[in-house]
Amino acid sequence: HKTPRRTPSRRGLENLGNTCFMNAVVQAVCVTGDLAARLVAEPLTSGGETVPGREETRRLFQELTSARPHPFSARELHRWLRNTFPRFHNHRQHDAAEFFLAWRNRLAAPVPVADTGPRPVWADWREQWRMQPDIRVHCEHCGKPATPPKKQPEAEFELFATISRDRSYTGVADALRQEYTKETVEDCECDHCAMPGVTRL
């Protein structure tokens, strides 16, 4: 994939009381590709539907990418978040990934996407995270490819890795690689060497 240009973020966000989880995600999304600029330019209505939360998100990205030097308050987005998702209606600490999925899915999912013509950027925000797992099977005895399962896994929207203090990591990709390691399939027979036992995924 072509690497999209980054959207510059020139401003910080005020902490509204344990809102670091929200501020960190908003800043990360703002500087990831050109998504923030595209969301700012996207019309508020799509297919005659106005989705609550979009205006707050658009305004937030407008402010973050402006040249104003002082920090901005994401109070309107935080108010929408608390009113839409009761579990965030408090000042406790929350999980950043949980906020990101709730925020993105609520704004992106209701958008009707036509088969032809340009795709609404709100829908693209969700679709760009879709990952289709690829299963590859080979025999651990002869090393040749084996027949993969007929049913392929469904597309994933997120991957999580458990970070352990007992392991060392070179980065996020390495953490994911260790989390989603090879698995074994019992009671299989190789198509090539006919050896019973185990094949590896």
Side-chain angles (χ1 to χ4, degrees):
H1 297 286
K2 181 180 178 181
T3 302
R5 65 179 181 84
R6 296 180 59 187
T7 302
S9 176
R10 300 181 175 92
R11 304 180 68 182
L13 288 172
E14 296 179 1
N15 194 319
L16 305 175
N18 275 346
T19 57
C20 296
F21 70 95
M22 182 182 74
N23 292 359
V25 170
V26 169
Q27 292 280 18
V29 171
C30 186
V31 299
T32 302
D34 61 350
L35 177 64
R38 295 176 62 206
L39 287 178
V40 169
E42 179 76 1
L44 286 180
T45 58
S46 178
E49 180 182 17
T50 300
V51 180
R54 289 186 178 176
E55 175 59 26
E56 292 82 356
T57 300
R58 280 166 45 90
R59 172 75 190 286
L60 182 56
F61 285 134
Q62 283 177 338
E63 294 293 338
L64 288 178
T65 56
S66 71
R68 297 183 180 91
H70 54 276
F72 180 71
S73 172
R75 192 172 303 278
E76 293 301 319
L77 180 66
H78 190 229
R79 182 180 292 112
W80 168 83
L81 177 68
R82 289 180 296 150
N83 293 338
T84 307
F85 303 99
R87 63 182 179 275
F88 293 106
H89 197 354
N90 52 64
H91 291 288
R92 297 195 298 267
Q93 294 181 350
H94 293 282
D95 184 74
E98 183 181 8
F99 159 69
F100 172 67
L101 295 176
W103 178 39
R104 183 202 63 187
N105 293 347
R106 177 57 63 95
L107 300 189
V111 179
V113 180
D115 294 333
T116 59
R119 296 173 58 88
V121 66
W122 298 96
D124 286 342
W125 190 14
R126 176 178 170 84
E127 291 301 315
Q128 71 177 356
W129 294 87
R130 186 186 295 271
M131 297 168 288
Q132 181 60 53
D134 181 24
I135 295 182
R136 301 180 183 181
V137 185
H138 70 271
C139 176
E140 71 169 4
H141 300 288
C142 67
K144 292 184 178 181
T147 303
K150 294 182 179 179
K151 185 178 180 180
Q152 294 294 320
E154 296 183 359
E156 298 283 350
F157 283 102
E158 67 274 347
L159 297 175
F160 294 96
T162 302
I163 305 299
S164 172
R165 67 175 60 186
D166 300 326
R167 296 183 179 181
S168 60
Y169 306 92
T170 58
V172 175
D174 185 41
L176 290 171
R177 197 174 295 112
Q178 294 188 39
E179 181 79 13
Y180 297 92
T181 185
K182 295 179 180 180
E183 300 178 3
T184 60
V185 180
E186 304 289 345
D187 300 325
C188 292
E189 184 175 291
C190 179
D191 299 332
H192 302 279
C193 65
M195 287 289 293
V198 180
T199 55
R200 289 191 176 276
L201 275 71

